Amino acid sequence: MYRAPGRVNLIGEHTDYNDGFVMPAAIDFYVWIAAAPRSDRKLLLHSTNFSETVEIDLQKSIAPRHHWSDYVAGVAIMLERAGHHLQGANLLIQGDVPMGSGLSSSAAIEVASGLALLENSGLHMDRLELVKLCRQAENEFVGARVGIMDQFVSSCGQAGHALMLDCRSLEHRLLPLPRDVSLVICNTMVKHALANSEYNTRRAECEEGVRLLLRSMPSVRALRDVTLTELEARAGNLPKIIYRRCHHVISENARVTKAAAALDREDLDNFGWLMAESHRSLRDDYEVSCAELDLMVDLARQQQGVYGARMTGGGFGGCTINLVRTDAVNDFQSGVADAYQKSTGRAPQIFVSPAAEGAAEVKK
Ligand code: GLA
């Protein structure tokens, strides 16, 4: 049995695919996979969440079906493509990471599948290689052009810590979270239909920004290589919308670096202020927030004991992440839930999670 966690991102949103910095933590919600070998080359998947069974024949060519099983099939294909000959397996899959809520249930099923398929075949692989293959499965088989943050933290998260990840070098630093503070996740319970198409549009806008900046800055490879001063000096050469997208990414990278320094000195007020700035930038410059996320963040800021609140993940619905003093968590939960339900008619889900350990085999 193997399990891999979902994640929240404390700060550093829409920076991973710009070679930038992110600060996620794994959460105490998982996808679990029990695996048993088969003598043929078939994968028999059963999801208890969907009460569905799917058969995948590794001997035949496999096409995406726009179905939960694509995440497993995609990882199997990428492993085989990388030269790892897989044995058949029966896989029983169950997850408690809320789906479609921006908490990376997809990365969790990919990473758990990768571990299960490898070990079931008596194979071992470097964790970083597995992370890259899982992302490749999502990019090339599932068809979502995501960055590497989710798969990385699902695989490499550490209990009690956030990771500060450099998405270019893939080097990471562990940041211990202060003991008297809790990670509180508020699910707006909405996911707007444009989330996936807008994600790809934002990526294209960042690429367009790089293309235009290259004219006067020939060594730029990604928005990571541009400072705010350099961007501002070229504002007149960029369409307004492209300028704002670049402004978000470049300012967000700077905020992650400052947030890591703030955590190092346990300056949670400063960390919370950076979270607020991040949300503002995502809402106004990157335009990936929505009314429900903005409301959830505003309601959180009205509660006692809250250091910071912002949307987390891709946006257009899903969850906010809140840093709350542990002794204020109960009041926070009821205060936010009541006010959100009163305004929207929807009951939010509110979770408290420790920063959890990354994917692993589950031993008795
Ligand atoms: C999704 C993607 C990540 C990242 C975030 C935004 O979660 O999977 O790679 O781009 O959106 O920060």
Side-chain angles (χ1 to χ4, degrees):
M1 172 121 64
Y2 306 86
R3 71 173 194 189
R7 64 101 188 89
V8 284
N9 189 18
L10 301 186
I11 195 160
E13 218 65 82
H14 289 278
T15 45
D16 62 351
Y17 52 82
N18 289 299
D19 277 4
F21 300 102
V22 292
M23 198 189 289
I27 55 174
D28 206 17
F29 294 87
Y30 303 87
V31 171
W32 309 71
I33 302 188
R38 294 169 60 96
S39 52
D40 57 13
R41 289 252 296 145
K42 288 182 178 164
L43 302 178
L44 200 72
L45 320 178
H46 182 79
S47 158
T48 58
N49 295 76
F50 292 98
S51 300
E52 275 178 358
T53 303
V54 171
E55 188 181 290
I56 295 169
D57 190 339
L58 293 170
Q59 310 275 46
K60 298 192 179 145
S61 81
I62 305 164
R65 303 173 45 196
H66 309 290
H67 188 251
W68 60 264
S69 58
D70 286 353
Y71 296 105
V72 187
V75 171
I77 290 169
M78 295 307 154
L79 286 170
E80 291 252 318
R81 233 188 245 171
H84 305 280
H85 186 79
L86 298 180
Q87 199 182 328
N90 293 330
L91 302 178
L92 179 65
I93 305 172
Q94 181 162 331
D96 61 10
V97 186
M99 282 178 263
S101 308
L103 299 177
S104 295
S105 58
S106 47
I109 190 174
E110 288 158 7
V111 173
S113 306
L115 282 187
L117 291 170
L118 283 167
E119 303 258 345
N120 180 69
S121 309
L123 300 168
H124 294 284
M125 181 186 268
D126 175 64
R127 269 301 168 98
L128 202 49
E129 280 315 299
L130 179 61
V131 166
K132 290 182 189 163
L133 279 176
C134 288
R135 177 192 179 194
Q136 204 183 343
E138 189 146 347
N139 287 173
E140 295 174 21
F141 189 77
V142 178
R145 295 185 65 207
V146 295
I148 202 154
M149 166 170 69
D150 306 345
Q151 292 79 7
F152 192 95
V153 68
S154 180
S155 177
C156 304
Q158 293 257 325
H161 294 77
L163 307 183
M164 157 107 173
L165 172 66
D166 177 336
C167 297
R168 172 173 279 166
S169 68
L170 298 184
E171 279 165 12
H172 73 282
R173 183 158 85 81
L174 292 175
L175 299 166
L177 292 171
R179 285 189 184 282
D180 51 351
V181 78
S182 297
L183 302 181
V184 185
I185 301 159
C186 298
N187 190 348
T188 61
M189 310 304 279
V190 300
K191 183 182 184 189
H192 294 292
L194 26 79
N196 296 343
S197 63
E198 289 292 314
Y199 187 92
N200 289 338
T201 306
R202 292 300 175 282
R203 285 203 60 150
E205 287 164 346
C206 292
E207 284 159 10
E208 177 65 2
V210 170
R211 201 182 63 76
L212 294 171
L213 289 165
L214 264 174
R215 292 182 182 161
S216 59
M217 300 178 69
S219 62
V220 166
R221 280 162 52 206
L223 289 179
R224 149 75 175 272
D225 303 314
V226 184
T227 64
L228 268 188
T229 316
E230 287 165 339
L231 176 73
E232 268 147 27
R234 288 158 183 83
N237 307 336
L238 301 175
K240 278 212 169 57
I241 223 178
I242 302 291
Y243 171 80
R244 284 197 281 121
R245 303 305 190 236
C246 296
H247 192 277
H248 165 71
V249 173
I250 296 169
S251 63
E252 184 78 351
N253 275 331
R255 280 187 287 272
V256 182
T257 310
K258 287 183 193 150
L263 259 195
D264 283 340
R265 52 175 202 275
E266 296 210 4
D267 183 349
L268 292 175
D269 290 325
N270 184 237
F271 194 95
W273 181 80
L274 292 162
M275 288 173 81
E277 284 296 296
S278 167
H279 186 81
R280 194 206 51 70
S281 176
L282 288 157
R283 184 190 66 200
D284 300 341
D285 283 345
Y286 217 61
E287 294 180 286
V288 292
S289 188
C290 62
E292 295 85 352
L293 284 168
D294 293 343
L295 173 68
M296 198 69 104
V297 166
D298 286 343
L299 295 175
R301 289 195 190 128
Q302 293 164 23
Q303 312 302 313
Q304 299 284 319
V306 177
Y307 293 107
R310 57 179 286 279
M311 56 159 277
T312 190
F316 299 101
C319 294
T320 63
I321 173 71
N322 305 268
L323 272 194
V324 184
R325 228 178 44 227
T326 301
D327 61 12
V329 165
N330 284 344
D331 290 346
F332 173 90
Q333 279 181 286
S334 52
V336 170
D338 291 349
Y340 185 79
Q341 183 155 11
K342 216 169 267 164
S343 288
T344 64
R346 279 196 180 83
Q349 289 173 330
I350 303 189
F351 317 107
V352 182
S353 175
E357 193 72 20
E361 183 175 356
V362 181
K363 299 193 174 124
K364 271 197 210 145

